[in-house]
mmCIF file of all heavy atoms in Angstrom:
data_model
loop_
_atom_site.group_PDB
_atom_site.id
_atom_site.type_symbol
_atom_site.label_atom_id
_atom_site.label_comp_id
_atom_site.label_asym_id
_atom_site.label_seq_id
_atom_site.Cartn_x
_atom_site.Cartn_y
_atom_site.Cartn_z
ATOM 1 N N ALA A 15 -3.881 7.694 4.979
ATOM 2 C CA ALA A 15 -4.272 7.743 3.665
ATOM 3 C C ALA A 15 -3.251 8.344 2.705
ATOM 4 O O ALA A 15 -3.608 8.667 1.538
ATOM 5 C CB ALA A 15 -5.572 8.477 3.468
ATOM 6 N N GLN A 16 -1.999 8.432 3.074
ATOM 7 C CA GLN A 16 -0.937 8.902 2.110
ATOM 8 C C GLN A 16 -0.900 8.002 0.939
ATOM 9 O O GLN A 16 -0.703 8.399 -0.149
ATOM 10 C CB GLN A 16 0.379 9.039 2.805
ATOM 11 C CG GLN A 16 0.473 10.074 3.914
ATOM 12 C CD GLN A 16 0.085 11.425 3.414
ATOM 13 O OE1 GLN A 16 0.647 12.008 2.414
ATOM 14 N NE2 GLN A 16 -0.940 12.027 4.013
ATOM 15 N N CYS A 17 -0.976 6.734 1.100
ATOM 16 C CA CYS A 17 -0.887 5.789 0.090
ATOM 17 C C CYS A 17 -2.093 6.011 -0.986
ATOM 18 O O CYS A 17 -1.919 5.889 -2.147
ATOM 19 C CB CYS A 17 -0.997 4.327 0.611
ATOM 20 S SG CYS A 17 -2.422 3.985 1.649
ATOM 21 N N ALA A 18 -3.263 6.243 -0.463
ATOM 22 C CA ALA A 18 -4.431 6.505 -1.328
ATOM 23 C C ALA A 18 -4.248 7.754 -2.224
ATOM 24 O O ALA A 18 -4.758 7.781 -3.296
ATOM 25 C CB ALA A 18 -5.763 6.582 -0.518
ATOM 26 N N PHE A 19 -3.573 8.719 -1.647
ATOM 27 C CA PHE A 19 -3.266 9.935 -2.470
ATOM 28 C C PHE A 19 -2.262 9.713 -3.488
ATOM 29 O O PHE A 19 -2.351 10.162 -4.663
ATOM 30 C CB PHE A 19 -2.841 11.112 -1.526
ATOM 31 C CG PHE A 19 -3.931 11.608 -0.640
ATOM 32 C CD1 PHE A 19 -3.808 11.457 0.727
ATOM 33 C CD2 PHE A 19 -5.057 12.230 -1.170
ATOM 34 C CE1 PHE A 19 -4.751 12.007 1.539
ATOM 35 C CE2 PHE A 19 -6.003 12.720 -0.374
ATOM 36 C CZ PHE A 19 -5.884 12.561 1.053
ATOM 37 N N LEU A 20 -1.240 8.795 -3.173
ATOM 38 C CA LEU A 20 -0.051 8.661 -4.141
ATOM 39 C C LEU A 20 -0.345 7.526 -5.090
ATOM 40 O O LEU A 20 0.320 7.544 -6.150
ATOM 41 C CB LEU A 20 1.148 8.413 -3.303
ATOM 42 C CG LEU A 20 1.601 9.679 -2.492
ATOM 43 C CD1 LEU A 20 2.669 9.306 -1.471
ATOM 44 C CD2 LEU A 20 2.138 10.772 -3.411
ATOM 45 N N ALA A 21 -1.130 6.552 -4.737
ATOM 46 C CA ALA A 21 -1.445 5.413 -5.662
ATOM 47 C C ALA A 21 -2.910 5.006 -5.596
ATOM 48 O O ALA A 21 -3.279 3.938 -5.180
ATOM 49 C CB ALA A 21 -0.534 4.167 -5.318
ATOM 50 N N PRO A 22 -3.783 5.954 -6.113
ATOM 51 C CA PRO A 22 -5.210 5.729 -6.029
ATOM 52 C C PRO A 22 -5.652 4.558 -6.803
ATOM 53 O O PRO A 22 -6.857 4.012 -6.502
ATOM 54 C CB PRO A 22 -5.849 7.072 -6.521
ATOM 55 C CG PRO A 22 -4.758 7.693 -7.377
ATOM 56 C CD PRO A 22 -3.444 7.241 -6.729
ATOM 57 N N GLU A 23 -4.944 4.129 -7.777
ATOM 58 C CA GLU A 23 -5.356 2.863 -8.520
ATOM 59 C C GLU A 23 -5.170 1.576 -7.712
ATOM 60 O O GLU A 23 -5.756 0.578 -7.989
ATOM 61 C CB GLU A 23 -4.558 2.744 -9.784
ATOM 62 C CG GLU A 23 -4.720 3.932 -10.716
ATOM 63 C CD GLU A 23 -6.094 3.926 -11.451
ATOM 64 O OE1 GLU A 23 -6.490 2.843 -11.792
ATOM 65 O OE2 GLU A 23 -6.585 5.039 -11.610
ATOM 66 N N VAL A 24 -4.440 1.694 -6.673
ATOM 67 C CA VAL A 24 -4.111 0.558 -5.827
ATOM 68 C C VAL A 24 -4.649 0.612 -4.400
ATOM 69 O O VAL A 24 -5.158 -0.439 -3.937
ATOM 70 C CB VAL A 24 -2.498 0.308 -5.698
ATOM 71 C CG1 VAL A 24 -2.189 -0.871 -4.868
ATOM 72 C CG2 VAL A 24 -1.962 0.171 -7.121
ATOM 73 N N PHE A 25 -4.676 1.778 -3.799
ATOM 74 C CA PHE A 25 -5.133 1.973 -2.451
ATOM 75 C C PHE A 25 -6.343 2.918 -2.384
ATOM 76 O O PHE A 25 -6.402 3.853 -3.155
ATOM 77 C CB PHE A 25 -4.023 2.642 -1.608
ATOM 78 C CG PHE A 25 -2.767 1.880 -1.505
ATOM 79 C CD1 PHE A 25 -1.728 2.196 -2.391
ATOM 80 C CD2 PHE A 25 -2.643 0.842 -0.546
ATOM 81 C CE1 PHE A 25 -0.534 1.448 -2.363
ATOM 82 C CE2 PHE A 25 -1.441 0.197 -0.513
ATOM 83 C CZ PHE A 25 -0.387 0.452 -1.335
ATOM 84 N N ALA A 26 -7.305 2.637 -1.512
ATOM 85 C CA ALA A 26 -8.487 3.418 -1.357
ATOM 86 C C ALA A 26 -9.011 3.408 0.066
ATOM 87 O O ALA A 26 -8.907 2.298 0.738
ATOM 88 C CB ALA A 26 -9.607 3.002 -2.302
ATOM 89 N N MET A 27 -9.382 4.516 0.579
ATOM 90 C CA MET A 27 -9.962 4.560 1.859
ATOM 91 C C MET A 27 -11.472 4.221 1.864
ATOM 92 O O MET A 27 -12.177 4.684 0.962
ATOM 93 C CB MET A 27 -9.768 5.882 2.562
ATOM 94 C CG MET A 27 -8.310 6.262 2.774
ATOM 95 S SD MET A 27 -7.412 5.077 3.794
ATOM 96 C CE MET A 27 -8.301 5.334 5.447
ATOM 97 N N HIS A 28 -11.958 3.418 2.769
ATOM 98 C CA HIS A 28 -13.348 3.044 2.809
ATOM 99 C C HIS A 28 -13.758 3.577 4.161
ATOM 100 O O HIS A 28 -13.426 3.018 5.241
ATOM 101 C CB HIS A 28 -13.503 1.536 2.769
ATOM 102 C CG HIS A 28 -14.903 1.155 2.747
ATOM 103 N ND1 HIS A 28 -15.668 0.911 3.817
ATOM 104 C CD2 HIS A 28 -15.757 0.930 1.623
ATOM 105 C CE1 HIS A 28 -16.841 0.567 3.466
ATOM 106 N NE2 HIS A 28 -16.935 0.509 2.172
ATOM 107 N N GLY A 29 -14.432 4.687 4.079
ATOM 108 C CA GLY A 29 -14.858 5.379 5.458
ATOM 109 C C GLY A 29 -13.599 6.172 5.939
ATOM 110 O O GLY A 29 -12.717 6.529 5.132
ATOM 111 N N ASP A 30 -13.603 6.438 7.193
ATOM 112 C CA ASP A 30 -12.490 7.284 7.726
ATOM 113 C C ASP A 30 -11.193 6.489 8.084
ATOM 114 O O ASP A 30 -10.135 7.092 8.048
ATOM 115 C CB ASP A 30 -12.991 7.929 9.039
ATOM 116 C CG ASP A 30 -14.025 8.996 8.795
ATOM 117 O OD1 ASP A 30 -14.031 9.553 7.685
ATOM 118 O OD2 ASP A 30 -14.763 9.284 9.725
ATOM 119 N N GLU A 31 -11.251 5.181 8.317
ATOM 120 C CA GLU A 31 -10.192 4.502 8.743
ATOM 121 C C GLU A 31 -9.768 3.140 7.979
ATOM 122 O O GLU A 31 -8.709 2.691 8.074
ATOM 123 C CB GLU A 31 -10.273 4.162 10.270
ATOM 124 C CG GLU A 31 -10.336 5.371 11.053
ATOM 125 C CD GLU A 31 -10.383 5.060 12.549
ATOM 126 O OE1 GLU A 31 -10.174 3.902 12.943
ATOM 127 O OE2 GLU A 31 -10.602 6.013 13.296
ATOM 128 N N ALA A 32 -10.725 2.602 7.278
ATOM 129 C CA ALA A 32 -10.486 1.312 6.629
ATOM 130 C C ALA A 32 -9.822 1.480 5.323
ATOM 131 O O ALA A 32 -10.388 2.074 4.401
ATOM 132 C CB ALA A 32 -11.832 0.615 6.451
ATOM 133 N N LEU A 33 -8.708 0.915 5.145
ATOM 134 C CA LEU A 33 -7.891 0.946 3.886
ATOM 135 C C LEU A 33 -8.233 -0.304 3.039
ATOM 136 O O LEU A 33 -8.174 -1.421 3.583
ATOM 137 C CB LEU A 33 -6.444 0.973 4.245
ATOM 138 C CG LEU A 33 -5.537 0.936 2.875
ATOM 139 C CD1 LEU A 33 -5.687 2.211 2.133
ATOM 140 C CD2 LEU A 33 -4.110 0.739 3.332
#
Side-chain angles (χ1 to χ4, degrees):
Q16 295 303 305
C17 56
F19 291 116
L20 294 168
E23 298 287 324
V24 179
F25 300 95
M27 294 303 294
H28 186 271
D30 290 335
E31 295 182 12
L33 175 68

